[in-house]
Amino acid sequence: SGLKKAVSDDFIAGNITTEGSVGKGNWATVPWIGIFDTAISNSATKGFYIVYLFSPDMNSVYLSLNQGWTFFNDIYGRNAKNNIGKVSAYWQNTLANRTDRMTTKPIDLTSSLQNKNSLVSGYELGNIFSIKYNSDNLPNNDQLLTDLKDMLFCLNEIKADLINEKIFSKILTIY
């Protein structure tokens, strides 16, 4: 509910919902706040969504257009990394609404961890575009809202393409 208080109804309206997690039962290695269009996803486990991923040391946060790692891991097992990478690459090369602030560079949530976590590695692998914010140099609120709006445009482009059967069939051939 905190994100809904921070942004206007223009951002979080209609099919858009938010959820945050600091862990279920135990503290999460990477706390997150997800933004979901329920027409294509309602959880971080599958589909496409926008997420703020907080680094384990809290020195940075990524605004990421991401996809559900759990789906790939459950369905593809040993081939999950390869398949999620192919889907990321497809969207990186296809989405027209990408801005100069968004990068396809890998996000880094695990380099400071002694014990690698499959879920955290999955966040890294599922990244399509991201914007990194350092906690000691956060942009102003207007820039943060612009970045979120731009990511929402990209998510809407994915949604439109998924609804287009011809493009959806092309995406399926990636697997």
Side-chain angles (χ1 to χ4, degrees):
S1 66
L3 188 59
K4 288 183 180 183
K5 293 176 186 173
V7 299
S8 72
D9 289 341
D10 297 342
F11 288 92
I12 311 296
N15 291 336
I16 303 295
T17 63
T18 65
E19 178 185 347
S21 180
V22 294
K24 294 183 180 177
N26 295 315
W27 287 105
T29 304
V30 174
W32 56 266
I33 301 169
I35 302 160
F36 306 95
D37 184 325
T38 57
I40 58 173
S41 180
N42 58 10
S43 83
T45 61
K46 64 181 179 178
F48 300 94
Y49 58 95
I50 297 167
V51 64
Y52 290 94
L53 296 163
F54 295 85
S55 66
D57 60 10
M58 291 295 160
N59 286 330
S60 61
V61 60
Y62 292 91
L63 173 60
S64 174
L65 178 60
N66 215 298
Q67 52 189 318
W69 166 250
T70 302
F71 166 82
F72 284 90
N73 196 37
D74 290 349
I75 300 297
Y76 299 107
R78 288 184 287 152
N79 292 324
K81 289 180 182 180
N82 186 43
N83 287 338
I84 200 169
K86 286 180 181 179
V87 174
S88 291
Y90 172 83
W91 290 115
Q92 289 166 350
N93 294 316
T94 302
L95 293 174
N97 285 316
R98 176 181 169 195
T99 68
D100 291 340
R101 288 183 51 79
M102 296 176 194
T103 181
T104 60
K105 292 179 185 174
I107 60 177
D108 177 15
L109 300 168
T110 57
S111 67
S112 65
L113 297 176
Q114 289 182 350
N115 298 320
K116 304 296 185 213
N117 174 317
S118 173
L119 188 58
V120 175
S121 296
Y123 295 146
E124 293 174 334
L125 293 166
N127 180 60
I128 298 169
F129 296 132
S130 69
I131 300 171
K132 182 180 181 180
Y133 307 111
N134 292 315
S135 61
D136 60 354
N137 190 25
L138 291 173
N140 64 40
N141 286 345
D142 289 340
Q143 185 63 61
L144 290 170
L145 289 172
T146 297
D147 292 344
L148 176 57
K149 182 176 125 185
D150 291 340
M151 284 288 184
L152 283 165
F153 281 135
C154 289
L155 184 65
N156 282 328
E157 188 178 349
I158 288 176
K159 178 182 170 180
D161 285 355
L162 290 175
I163 292 170
N164 179 330
E165 289 181 31
K166 187 186 291 185
I167 291 176
F168 185 68
S169 296
K170 181 179 178 183
I171 294 166
L172 288 178
T173 64
I174 292 172
Y175 301 121

